[in-house]
């Protein structure tokens, strides 16, 4: 079958932004409908997909976006839009169904929430109730619809997963609401995307909802314990307190995590319902490959893998080049992906980029770290006391570095000659740490003349558990001396070197 023309609404969201490249890779043509198309320009797939401006509440823009479309993905939901969001969701879904019929769309695909079948709609949380109603509206329309109903989606960037991450990472002892004992059937984001892509080619007569979930049914408390094991955190002590209502829970989550309270509240309210799949009929049409659906442990491992692989460039920069659904996207919220502390320094340097790079590449070993030698020596001694490598390793070559070289208690993780040196810490730390140094031509410079260089230095720390956070805050008062002095002295050394070479 030749590629289909697909419209993706909600492309700036968690699922939509990850679905687009999956559809493109499957050979389909993709058009994205976005209120702010500029938000999509930094995606690696931006040049392969068509992006149009519009809103699902505006009939004219929806009608225009649906022209020539075979499959329309409806991936919008007012999760934290305040009062009246149910009526807005209801009206938008009706409008979309009507315009899809008028445009001759062959199929609508919607990702909704898994709700318990034995609970009356009036007793569901507003979030789950609205999602269920949107699915019913789309199924009642003239265009065949596939409504996928999922519980907790496990993947870096998913709001449910991020709440799980922060609660488990930051609280070795947790006083939790009673909903942590409610059972659910989580699903890996990779499986969600696989089902969504597969729905594009469903037979025309398929017009129904499907429950989708992973192979494991467990409580939220068990997920937190599993997370702690996968993340190599100490055993978590979890104490349930029944009087914590969803409203109080959302305040508690907002205090402990960076997940906004307006988002945490509907999630907490939904977690009081048991959400377990009643069927797995989707496999008749989208067969499970070997190893799928993915279990909770593997899903958690995939969600955390980016941090352990220390791919700092794609994990925490604005120029993200994701290679897997669990990777971050430019449109992910700032609180997604776990905590990352940074210390950033930047200086204009009165030396050529070549001279500045020679100083950067020569750092460490007998050349030292250009900042508070006693502090570095003490840090090395402390590291050796706890079984670390200390600073005794020095460096392989006094002037040149290559990827994999040991450099005192660092390891060269990435090097772009003349531009970038990234070091990964191998000292004993309650987390992962990197030190990046960039050499760039300064404003208006050509890269060949003196006084046109810019030096950028960035220290990054990904804390491991509560101890990691405490470590960062205990040492951060000294960063101005250590890292500020390093940037300043590297610049001065480059200027002396450049002056001596002329």
């Amino acid at each position: 079958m030749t590629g289909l023309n697909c419209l993706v609404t909600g492309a700036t969201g968690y699922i939509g932004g990850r679905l687009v490249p999956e559809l493109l890779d499957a050979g389909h043509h993709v058009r994205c409908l976005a209120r702010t198309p500029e938000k999509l320009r930094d995606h690696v797939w931006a040049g392969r997909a068509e992006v149009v401006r519009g809103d699902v509440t505006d009939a004219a823009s929806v009608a225009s976006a649906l022209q020539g479309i075979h499959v329309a993905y409806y991936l919008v939901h007012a999760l934290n839009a305040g009062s009246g969001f149910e009526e807005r969701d209801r009206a938008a879904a009706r409008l979309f169904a009507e315009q899809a019929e008028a445009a001759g769309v062959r199929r609508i695909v919607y990702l909704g929430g898994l709700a318990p079948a034995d609970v009356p709609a009036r007793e569901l949380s507003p979030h789950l109730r609205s999602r269920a109603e949107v699915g019913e509206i789309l199924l009642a329309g003239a265009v065949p619809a596939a409504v996928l109903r999922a519980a907790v989606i496990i993947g870096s960037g998913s709001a449910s997963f991020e709440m799980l991450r922060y609660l488990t990472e930051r609280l070795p002892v947790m006083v939790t609401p009673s909903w942590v004992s409610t059972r659910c059937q989580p699903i890996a984001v990779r499986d969600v995307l696989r089902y969504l892509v597969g729905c594009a080619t469903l037979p025309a007569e398929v017009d129904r909802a499907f429950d989708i979930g992973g192979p494991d049914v467990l409580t939220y408390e068990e997920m937190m314990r599993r997370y702690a094991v996968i993340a190599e955190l100490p055993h978590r002590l979890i104490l349930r307190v029944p009087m914590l209502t969803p409203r109080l829970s959302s305040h508690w989550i907002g205090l402990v995590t960076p997940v906004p309270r307006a988002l945490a509240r509907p999630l907490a309210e939904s977690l009081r319902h048991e959400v377990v799949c009643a069927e797995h009929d989707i496999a008749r049409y989208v067969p499970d490959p070997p190893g799928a659906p993915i279990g909770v442990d593997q899903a958690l491992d995939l969600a955390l893998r980016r941090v352990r692989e220390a791919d700092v460039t794609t994990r925490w920069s604005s120029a993200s080049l994701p290679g897997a659904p669990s990777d971050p996207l430019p449109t992910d919220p700032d609180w997604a992906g776990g905590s990352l502390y940074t210390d950033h320094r930047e200086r204009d340097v009165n030396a050529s980029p070549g001279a500045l790079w020679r100083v950067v590449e020569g750092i460490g070993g007998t050349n030292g770290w250009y900042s508070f030698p006693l502090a570095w020596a003490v840090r090395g001694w402390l590291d050796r006391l706890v079984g670390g490598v200390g600073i005794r390793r020095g460096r392989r070559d006094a002037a040149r570095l290559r990827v994999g070289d040991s450099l005192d208690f660092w390891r060269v993780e990435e090097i772009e000659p003349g531009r970038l040196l990234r070091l990964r810490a191998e000292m004993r730390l309650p987390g992962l740490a990197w030190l990046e140094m960039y050499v760039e031509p300064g404003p208006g410079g050509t890269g060949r003349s003196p006084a046109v260089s810019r030096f950028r230095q960035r220290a990054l720390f990904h804390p491991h558990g509560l101890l990691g956070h405490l470590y960062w805050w205990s040492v951060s008062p000294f960063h101005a001396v250590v890292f500020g002095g390093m940037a300043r002295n590297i610049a001065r050394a480059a200027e002396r070197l450049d002056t001596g070479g002329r």
Side-chain angles (χ1 to χ4, degrees):
M1 176 183 291
T2 57
L4 300 170
N5 295 330
C6 300
L7 176 72
V8 176
T9 64
T12 58
Y14 172 66
I15 293 294
R18 288 160 173 81
L19 176 61
V20 171
E22 299 291 323
L23 290 170
L24 291 169
D25 290 345
H28 302 306
H29 308 283
V30 179
R31 178 184 299 159
C32 301
L33 176 67
R35 284 181 296 181
T36 312
E38 294 79 14
K39 290 183 178 180
L40 299 176
R41 64 189 176 191
D42 290 331
H43 284 263
V44 69
W45 46 258
R48 302 168 59 198
E50 178 187 359
V51 180
V52 297
R53 187 182 301 275
D55 192 294
V56 292
T57 62
D58 177 64
S61 63
V62 172
S64 176
L66 286 169
Q67 291 303 307
I69 292 298
H70 301 128
V71 181
Y73 286 88
Y74 193 75
L75 303 175
V76 293
H77 186 66
L79 181 61
N80 60 338
S83 62
F85 80 91
E86 290 182 84
E87 177 54 38
R88 289 194 293 274
D89 274 349
R90 189 179 302 124
R94 286 172 178 159
L95 184 153
F96 195 82
E98 293 167 359
Q99 294 301 327
E101 179 185 1
V105 172
R106 301 177 190 173
R107 172 164 301 283
I108 295 173
V109 182
Y110 170 62
L111 177 63
L114 185 61
D118 58 345
V119 177
R122 66 180 180 277
E123 296 181 14
L124 293 174
S125 71
H127 165 56
L128 276 184
R129 183 170 60 237
S130 180
R131 288 209 162 189
E133 186 178 17
V134 167
E136 292 168 359
I137 290 170
L138 297 176
L139 286 170
V143 178
V147 174
L148 303 184
R149 301 183 298 206
V152 173
I153 297 177
I154 298 181
S156 182
S158 161
S160 298
F161 172 78
E162 294 300 338
M163 195 167 72
L164 171 75
R165 181 209 299 268
Y166 285 113
L167 289 175
T168 312
E169 286 272 353
R170 296 187 174 185
L171 296 176
V173 178
M174 288 178 267
V175 177
T176 62
S178 58
W179 51 249
V180 298
S181 61
T182 305
R183 295 195 314 156
C184 67
Q185 191 167 351
I187 182 171
V189 64
R190 296 186 183 214
D191 282 326
V192 174
L193 297 174
R194 179 171 59 82
Y195 290 137
L196 286 169
V197 172
C199 283
T201 54
L202 287 176
E205 65 271 15
V206 177
D207 186 19
R208 56 163 292 185
F210 296 95
D211 293 351
I212 60 172
D216 302 306
V217 176
L218 67 173
T219 67
Y220 204 79
E221 176 181 341
E222 289 171 331
M223 278 198 291
M224 288 192 284
R225 295 192 188 282
R226 295 263 192 111
Y227 181 99
V229 172
I230 298 298
E232 300 178 350
L233 296 169
H235 176 76
R236 266 38 193 161
L237 179 60
I238 299 175
L239 307 174
R240 290 190 292 276
V241 179
M243 70 281 299
L244 275 177
T245 65
R247 178 184 292 273
L248 290 175
S249 295
S250 65
H251 285 286
W252 172 68
I253 293 168
L255 178 66
V256 174
T257 82
V259 178
R261 187 173 64 85
L263 188 61
R265 182 175 180 182
L267 292 175
E269 289 176 336
S270 299
L271 288 170
R272 73 174 188 262
H273 303 296
E274 183 172 285
V275 282
V276 178
C277 296
E279 43 83 12
H280 188 50
D281 296 348
I282 188 67
R284 300 178 190 171
Y285 307 99
V286 186
D288 294 323
I294 296 170
V296 167
D297 288 349
Q298 185 183 357
L300 291 170
D301 183 67
L302 290 169
L304 294 172
R305 181 173 297 177
R306 300 304 293 177
V307 173
R308 286 199 297 271
E309 289 179 352
D311 194 344
V312 183
T313 300
T314 59
R315 172 60 187 83
W316 288 297
S317 78
S318 59
S320 179
L321 298 174
S326 56
D327 289 351
L329 295 181
T331 48
D332 284 351
D334 292 339
W335 46 262
S339 300
L340 182 76
Y341 294 115
T342 63
D343 181 279
H344 183 265
R345 311 282 168 171
E346 189 168 319
R347 296 185 67 87
D348 289 328
V349 184
N350 189 29
S352 67
L356 179 56
W357 176 253
R358 287 197 295 275
V359 174
V360 168
E361 192 176 11
I363 201 166
T366 58
N367 297 325
W369 291 90
Y370 295 94
S371 171
F372 203 180
L374 180 59
W376 287 91
V378 169
R379 186 64 185 86
W381 297 333
L382 292 175
D383 191 53
R384 291 189 64 180
L385 282 176
V386 295
V389 297
I391 59 173
R392 58 188 172 183
R393 296 188 304 185
R395 49 182 294 155
R396 175 189 57 84
D397 184 285
R400 296 287 181 265
L401 291 174
R402 62 189 181 192
V403 172
D405 276 358
S406 60
L407 184 58
D408 294 332
F409 43 41
W410 302 88
R411 177 79 59 181
V412 179
E413 187 170 86
E414 184 65 33
I415 186 167
E416 296 179 24
R419 177 183 175 271
L420 163 68
L421 174 64
R422 180 183 301 124
L423 306 176
R424 179 177 181 174
E426 292 191 337
M427 66 198 75
R428 294 295 181 93
L429 291 170
L432 299 173
W434 298 265
L435 179 62
E436 294 181 332
M437 287 170 274
Y438 291 86
V439 174
E440 300 171 349
T446 64
R448 296 187 298 270
S449 308
V452 293
S453 297
R454 173 162 294 170
F455 177 63
R456 289 196 298 117
Q457 175 184 292
R458 190 169 66 147
L460 306 100
F461 182 67
H462 177 75
H464 188 64
L466 179 61
L467 184 59
H469 293 278
L470 295 176
Y471 170 81
W472 174 265
W473 289 112
S474 68
V475 299
S476 58
F478 305 101
H479 287 172
V481 175
V482 176
F483 292 125
M486 177 185 292
R488 182 171 57 252
N489 292 330
I490 285 175
R492 290 173 178 171
E495 290 167 354
R496 289 194 300 269
L497 178 64
D498 193 75
T499 302
R502 280 185 289 166

